[in-house]
Structures are given as structure tokens and as C-alpha cells.
Amino acid sequence: MNIAIIGLGVIGGSFAMGLQAAGYKNVFGVDINLETIELAEKEGFIRKGVVDAKDILSDMDVILLSLYPSQIAPFVNQHKALFKTGVVLTDVTGVKTEIIKQVTTVLPETADFIFAHPMRGSEKKGIIGADHTRFVGANALITPVPINKEENLQLIEQLYKEIGFEQVTRVSPELHDEQIAYVSQLMHALSVAVVNSSQASDETLTFAGNSFQELTRIADINGELWSELFLNNRAALLNSIELFEVELDALKKSP
């Protein structure tokens, strides 16, 4: 089975490492950064890497898109003529409803797209932050849509489990976005808000213990990516923020 990883950043690179460690030898990589490709080849994360996806896509059985949300549907639309009949595509992005809407309008009938979300991200950027052991014992979510074939859903679930994920759960896209707004996006919003607080100063870390450090660790995020995640899940995130504000107000009024 030939597997292509589109985008060899911290998540794409970790998937490449994990698949190789699981025994998949035909893992290929696509990245716009030639140095990233050279490093991935040198370290044995991939069998071969290319800058232009057109050079390898026609031979791929599985294509994993580790791209920003805004890049997924355009990539599918641009390259769909090259897809092998029966190819299985999948993603790793943290929003689903809006992305599914965009992708299904351009996806050819000869391809299947399994929308997935590994629940083990990183505040790091680039392949130098890749580490497949981050996936060991982690959770992942699959959001099936009516066009999906059962055997393809099972294939992606199998790949996740083989690289270390302990639990792979199928949920609706709507439930995914509602819950991710709370358990992930709200946490990032809170972390950024704490770091940006007027109370923060050069002396803050002198007084900070583990609780502050753990809360603010994820504030060092990829701003471009998380802006897209927030905006693509705007309604659900705003709802989570408003519900949290209700609890804060209640705490302020407690005797």
C-alpha cells in the first residue's frame, strides 16, 4: 500500500514516523520546503519526498492531508484528476462541519474521504518537532459521512491503532465540533487570554508554579492555524466561551 503524507510538519511528520515504525515501507511525503523533505528522507521517515504532489499522487492508495483547514478543499480540487480510482483520503484537522461541506463539493465519486482528528496535537511547528510516540495511548475521532465506505473507515481506524492510538471513536461532525470547541479550542483561548492579561509582567514567572505553567504552555500556538480553527468553528466556540462566562460570573457572585 502506497501512502502519501501531504505536509510534513509536526503532525504529518509524526504520522510518517509512526507508519514507518509500524512497518509501512511505502510512505511518501510532500512538502513545499525542500530542507524538510531532505531531513525526512535522511531520518527514514519517508521512502521518498517531493515538492510537487503531482509527481506521486497517481500511485497513492491513501493520501493523508496534514494541511491547514483552508488548504484542504483546494488541494482536493486541484489534484482530483490525478487520484487513483478507489483512493482513500483523510485529514487531521480540528474542525469538521465546515471542512466536510467544502470537500464534498469537489471530491470525485471515485475517491473516498475519511474525516479524522487525532487528539494529540502540539504547540511546536515543523518536522523538528515530530515525534510519533506522542500518539501512543492517545484518542482519535472519525466523523463518518454518508458517502463513506465501511471498509475505508476501518482502514483509517486500523492505521491509527497501528501507530499507537488507543481509542478511535466515530462521532457526528456536529458533535465533534461542539465538543472540540469546549475541550480544545476554549482551553487555547483561555491560555492566550491569561498570557495577554494586563496582570502579566516580567516578574510573573518568579511567582508561577506548575498550575500557571501548564495553563499557559499551549498559549505558544501556531497563530495562523488556530485562527483558522477558531473561525471555522466560530459558533460552537462562542457558545463554549459564553457558557464559561456564566460560570465565572457565578463564581464572582459567590458569598
Side-chain angles (χ1 to χ4, degrees):
M1 179 167 60
N2 292 332
I3 303 174
I5 310 277
I6 314 298
L8 293 171
V10 63
I11 299 300
S14 296
F15 266 88
M17 294 172 66
L19 289 167
Q20 286 283 7
Y24 290 90
K25 302 305 179 186
N26 292 327
V27 178
F28 300 84
V30 178
D31 199 276
I32 59 174
N33 189 313
L34 186 57
E35 291 182 0
T36 292
I37 292 172
E38 292 173 347
L39 177 61
E41 290 179 338
K42 178 182 177 182
E43 297 296 329
F45 301 167
I46 57 175
R47 178 175 175 179
K48 178 184 178 182
V50 297
V51 173
D52 192 341
K54 296 177 182 177
D55 294 339
I56 63 170
L57 282 187
S58 60
D59 294 323
M60 296 299 112
D61 302 295
V62 174
I63 302 172
L64 186 150
L65 303 179
S66 183
L67 301 172
Y68 286 10
S70 63
Q71 298 173 321
I72 296 175
F75 181 93
V76 173
N77 192 42
Q78 180 181 351
H79 298 93
K80 59 187 178 183
L82 299 173
F83 294 161
K84 176 190 288 189
T85 298
V87 67
V88 178
L89 297 97
T90 188
D91 71 324
V92 296
T93 193
V95 290
K96 287 290 170 269
T97 307
E98 183 60 30
I99 302 306
I100 289 171
K101 185 188 306 180
Q102 296 171 10
V103 170
T104 52
T105 62
V106 298
L107 187 70
E109 294 182 357
T110 55
D112 198 3
F113 201 118
I114 308 301
F115 297 91
H117 184 193
M119 298 305 298
R120 188 54 61 89
S122 173
E123 67 275 13
K124 299 178 181 178
K125 292 179 63 176
I127 197 169
I128 58 173
D131 179 7
H132 72 286
T133 62
R134 76 175 75 250
F135 297 149
V136 176
N139 297 327
L141 301 170
I142 304 286
T143 57
V145 294
I147 62 172
N148 290 153
K149 295 180 179 179
E150 178 61 30
E151 61 264 31
N152 294 334
L153 289 165
Q154 292 183 14
L155 169 62
I156 299 303
E157 289 170 342
Q158 175 189 340
L159 292 178
Y160 269 79
K161 290 179 179 178
E162 287 181 344
I163 65 174
F165 285 86
E166 182 174 350
Q167 183 172 320
V168 184
T169 305
R170 299 185 189 184
V171 299
S172 71
E174 294 78 13
L175 180 60
H176 170 278
D177 287 356
E178 174 189 310
Q179 291 298 312
I180 293 304
Y182 173 56
V183 303
S184 178
Q185 294 174 352
L186 176 62
M187 301 304 111
H188 282 79
L190 292 176
S191 183
V192 171
V194 169
V195 169
N196 290 339
S197 170
S198 60
Q199 283 191 278
S201 70
D202 293 339
E203 298 179 336
T204 297
L205 292 181
T206 302
F207 302 92
N210 290 342
S211 58
F212 182 86
Q213 292 172 353
E214 282 300 306
L215 175 62
T216 58
R217 175 183 60 82
I218 57 174
D220 184 20
I221 59 177
N222 180 336
E224 185 179 356
L225 170 61
W226 279 90
S227 293
E228 288 196 18
L229 293 173
F230 286 175
L231 291 172
N232 276 283
N233 202 29
R234 181 189 289 104
L237 177 56
L238 285 174
N239 183 62
S240 289
I241 291 173
E242 288 166 359
L243 291 174
F244 181 74
E245 288 173 337
V246 169
E247 295 303 317
L248 276 184
D249 286 339
L251 185 60
K252 285 162 57 178
K253 297 173 184 177
S254 297

